[in-house]
Amino acid sequence: MLNVPSQAFPAPGSQQRVASQGRSKVPLKQGRSLMDWIRLTKSGKDLTGLKGRLIEVTEEELKTHNKKDDCWICIRGLVYNVSPYMEYHPGGEDELMRAAGADGTDLFNEVHRWVNYESMLKECLVGRMAVKPAVPKGLSHEVQENFSVRVIENVGKVDIVLQKRENISWKCLGEPLEKHDSFIPKKDTGLSYRRCQLISKEDVTHDTRLFCLMLPPSTHLQVPIGHHVYLKLSVTGAEIVKPYTPVSASLLSGFREPVSSPNKYIYFLIKIYPDGLFTPELDRLQIGDCVSVSSPEGDFKLSKLQEVEDLFLLAAGTGFTPMVNVLNYALTCMPSLRKVKLIFFNKTEDDIIWRCQLEKLAFKDKRFDTEFILSAPSPEWNGKQGHVSPALLSEFLQRSLENSRVFLCICGPTPFTDEGIRLLHDLNFSNDEIHGFTA
Ligand code: FAD
Ligand code: NAD
């Protein structure tokens, strides 16, 4: 879109109406008004002389285009051939010539900040300034530590917004680092680790804790829903690595997609096995100690949930962890959803993770419902008991409508997951309708 002026154009006090600091508007020749310029840009005429080709312009080349009939100007990193615009420029040719063959960003910011030159001179675009190889690698100036990242998952676009540390004009962006602008297949990237600090540790059940880790400054780690990371600790001199699935801090805090600000904290629900290798060591960490956290891995595809109406989550023990974010996502971001049912298998009542939160959530959101099934209940338990079985599954996997589009997630100890998937096939659910979280 061109920068078409509004009714109030030129705005009161704008450079088009008044001469500030002694600067005058020059009278334009007949047929050289803004509307004439707009007409010319829309005429399809080659205004750059490059037949639509965009080139990389070096500083040396820019300098050579410094005459009225061959005048290039760099504005905000983009180079324009402004010769065709000369006669249309309200400030006059001489003013434009002040930036001929040079970087005119400061000049334009000073005088024409309100003008959207990117669109006004779109048809005069010659190309981009070439990055100077002599500049040290990376950005040419410092940026602030806090930045924002926006991930638009359905198109695979990632916007990173960096703020300058000093509010000055940058002559160039510096030289891109190695692998800039290249896509590396995930399988070839390997895992990268960052050291995170333990911020808090809270008991959730008698043997399961909620760990909160803080990411190092300037780190952006976004773990896709249903994916896991690896935690790494040194145990008696050896590096031990185990997979864990990040969760939201609570089921009731509501789901927020990490759209702009980078998440500073990452949470894990982890069961401590007293005779285990890794978890007792993790449990011994003091607040302020560090643990390494890897980049994410996993094969769960959110696209599988598209158009799903009934979602069944079958979890056993800490196999509940991948269900947390799936559940949050389903209740907040799936307009097609009618029903989510969590069928949660545990040994005893004391082992049920976030029982109270699950019950509150079921009360709050009528689409959600949970069923606890215990394999080693106390005599007082009057709920369901047993292991995963055909009878239990056919009782609980009821569709909200006969032909509802359904999806099932299952996670827990390997024998539980294997047996569960086998039984789901027996119940005529297809592979496309099931995701098993496995090691
Ligand atoms: P281990 O040393 O592995 O021992 C665990 C238990 O098994 C102990 O009771 C031990 O005595 C017993 N054991 C060990 N070896 C044997 C053997 N050969 N025969 C019989 N018993 C044995 N866990 C969570 O708590 N939270 C999560 O979010 C989570 N996410 C996971 C995600 C993925 C993708 C996977 C694969 C696993 C996940 N786990 C999660 C499990 C986690 O990775 C560890 O397996 C778990 O924490 C145990 O680690 P450990 O080293 O402390 O125990
Ligand atoms: P647990 O020993 O407390 O058992 C929980 C329930 O699982 C039991 O009550 C029972 O109903 C069922 N179960 C256990 N053994 C079974 C068997 N042999 N056959 C059928 N059902 C069985 O569970 P836990 O100690 O919390 O272990 C959770 C498991 O989940 C771990 O093995 C962990 O690795 C796995 N996990 C996997 C992922 C993943 O993404 N792949 C994520 C988190 C946890």
Side-chain angles (χ1 to χ4, degrees), residues 1 3 90 189-190 227 284 348 355 432-433:
M1 271 296 290
N3 189 33
T189 55
H227 288 220
R284 273 192 282 276
T348 71
R355 179 180 180 175
D432 267 357
E433 293 171 321

Side-chain angles (χ1 to χ4, degrees), residues 228 245 271 273 316-319 321-322 345-347 373 375 386-388 411-416 437-439:
H228 54 270
T245 315
K271 179 167 180 170
Y273 297 86
T318 56
T321 54
F345 296 80
N346 283 282
K347 287 187 291 224
I373 298 162
S375 59
H387 280 269
V388 61
C411 186
T414 307
F416 165 87
F437 291 88
T438 48

Side-chain angles (χ1 to χ4, degrees), residues 68-200:
K68 265 189 191 162
D69 58 351
D70 177 20
C71 179
W72 290 9
I73 295 179
C74 170
I75 309 168
R76 297 166 203 145
L78 299 176
V79 179
Y80 301 92
N81 178 354
V82 296
S83 294
Y85 180 63
M86 287 278 173
E87 295 190 344
Y88 298 81
H89 182 52
E93 298 183 4
D94 290 346
E95 189 178 284
L96 271 188
M97 284 307 291
R98 281 171 62 200
D103 190 328
T105 310
D106 287 344
L107 187 71
F108 277 78
N109 279 347
E110 217 175 89
V111 185
H112 308 288
R113 209 174 175 76
W114 53 274
V115 176
N116 179 356
Y117 267 89
E118 281 84 353
S119 74
M120 185 87 160
L121 294 177
K122 206 170 78 178
E123 300 306 322
C124 298
L125 184 67
V126 167
R128 220 170 244 291
M129 282 305 287
V131 179
K132 258 174 61 184
V135 183
K137 284 197 170 195
L139 290 167
S140 64
H141 293 68
E142 285 189 55
V143 290
Q144 289 177 22
E145 238 171 36
N146 54 335
F147 57 95
S148 62
V149 178
R150 210 160 68 97
V151 179
I152 301 134
E153 285 193 19
N154 51 352
V155 289
K157 185 176 160 191
V158 180
D159 278 346
I160 301 172
V161 182
L162 302 165
Q163 304 286 341
K164 289 176 182 174
R165 186 158 276 187
E166 281 178 79
N167 193 14
I168 49 165
S169 151
W170 291 18
K171 297 279 179 270
C172 67
L173 284 178
E175 193 190 345
L177 293 168
E178 205 188 332
K179 296 190 184 141
H180 170 75
D181 242 358
S182 52
F183 288 92
I184 307 158
K186 202 149 180 276
K187 61 179 173 46
D188 299 341
T189 55
L191 289 176
S192 60
Y193 283 87
R194 64 281 297 139
R195 276 169 72 74
C196 298
Q197 213 178 34
L198 179 64
I199 294 299
S200 66

Side-chain angles (χ1 to χ4, degrees), residues 356-411:
C356 185
Q357 290 195 35
L358 285 165
E359 285 170 343
K360 277 191 187 151
L361 186 63
F363 183 75
K364 199 173 108 185
D365 194 321
K366 293 296 162 224
R367 295 169 302 168
F368 174 61
D369 165 30
T370 181
E371 206 68 55
F372 302 119
I373 298 162
L374 302 183
S375 59
S378 66
E380 293 81 49
W381 176 250
N382 48 24
K384 289 280 169 190
Q385 48 183 290
H387 280 269
V388 61
S389 68
L392 282 173
L393 292 188
S394 25
E395 181 180 347
F396 293 125
L397 302 179
Q398 299 290 335
R399 295 173 193 248
S400 59
L401 290 174
E402 201 184 334
N403 293 318
S404 298
R405 200 176 166 129
V406 64
F407 194 76
L408 302 108
C409 296
I410 179 162
C411 186

